[in-house]
Amino acid sequence: MPTTIEGSTAGRSKGAKSRGPNQFDSHVGRRLRAARTLAGISQTRLGEAVGLTFQQIQKYEKGMNRIGASRLQQFAHILNVPPSYFFEGQMDEAAAIAAAPVTDEIDAETSGRVSQRQAMELVRYFSRIDSKSLRRHIFDLVKAAGAQPGEAPGPSLEEIV
């Protein structure tokens, strides 16, 4: 019997059910969504740019469909990221997913947590601020507002950028 890789269809019989998306396909899909959101491009617009429907983009972003190398290269070019971007943090994320509870945007709003979408939009809009001084003040404000009592201060904006 051929050796199978977890989550792949290699060596499965034709009628075998999948156990859901492969963790690596899901990771690449999440990175695609993050890059698309940061670029301010809708699923429809990205799909049109590569000749796909927004439903296909949704399937890629959820990890339901695997993204081929040539398609990944197209996405990288359109979203202005290197192809390696889609694989960064893959092993770190797998460990974090196993340890952290899953929350969606609705859960995040009701629990007071920030959803991934909200965080990505915040980064996108923050990066559009032209004034370096204004960015620094906003960063300091958010950092101060989010600090826990007795917590050591984190790095300054200049140390991050």
Side-chain angles (χ1 to χ4, degrees):
M1 176 176 224
T3 304
T4 62
I5 298 171
E6 175 122 6
S8 77
T9 56
R12 286 195 193 150
S13 63
K14 261 190 171 178
K17 284 189 174 184
S18 172
R19 289 176 271 180
N22 175 290
Q23 72 176 10
F24 299 109
D25 294 334
S26 294
H27 175 84
V28 171
R30 282 189 295 278
R31 298 291 287 178
L32 173 63
R33 180 180 178 133
R36 178 185 60 75
T37 302
L38 279 174
I41 297 174
S42 69
Q43 289 176 334
T44 302
R45 204 165 121 213
L46 180 60
E48 288 170 353
V50 295
L52 298 172
T53 63
F54 78 90
Q55 291 96 335
Q56 184 63 43
I57 300 299
Q58 282 179 333
K59 288 180 181 181
Y60 283 151
E61 289 182 356
K62 291 179 181 179
M64 300 304 293
N65 287 1
R66 185 166 290 160
I67 305 172
S70 59
R71 182 75 70 202
L72 206 57
Q73 180 64 40
Q74 284 181 305
F75 290 145
H77 177 74
I78 292 165
L79 299 171
N80 198 28
V81 295
S84 62
Y85 164 84
F86 297 106
F87 303 100
E88 291 171 359
Q90 200 162 22
M91 297 315 287
D92 296 339
E93 184 172 316
I97 288 171
V102 177
T103 60
D104 61 18
E105 192 154 349
I106 295 170
D107 288 341
E109 287 184 18
T110 59
S111 70
R113 295 184 60 183
V114 176
S115 72
Q116 183 178 6
R117 181 183 183 102
Q118 290 169 327
M120 297 304 297
E121 286 184 17
L122 182 62
V123 169
R124 179 177 46 165
Y125 292 121
F126 183 80
S127 67
R128 291 181 183 172
I129 299 171
D130 290 330
S131 168
K132 189 174 183 177
S133 173
L134 181 57
R135 273 196 317 269
R136 184 176 42 79
H137 289 303
I138 292 171
F139 178 83
D140 291 343
L141 173 68
V142 172
K143 186 170 120 181
Q148 298 295 319
E151 182 178 40
S156 69
L157 184 59
E158 287 78 20
E159 293 170 338
I160 294 172
V161 186

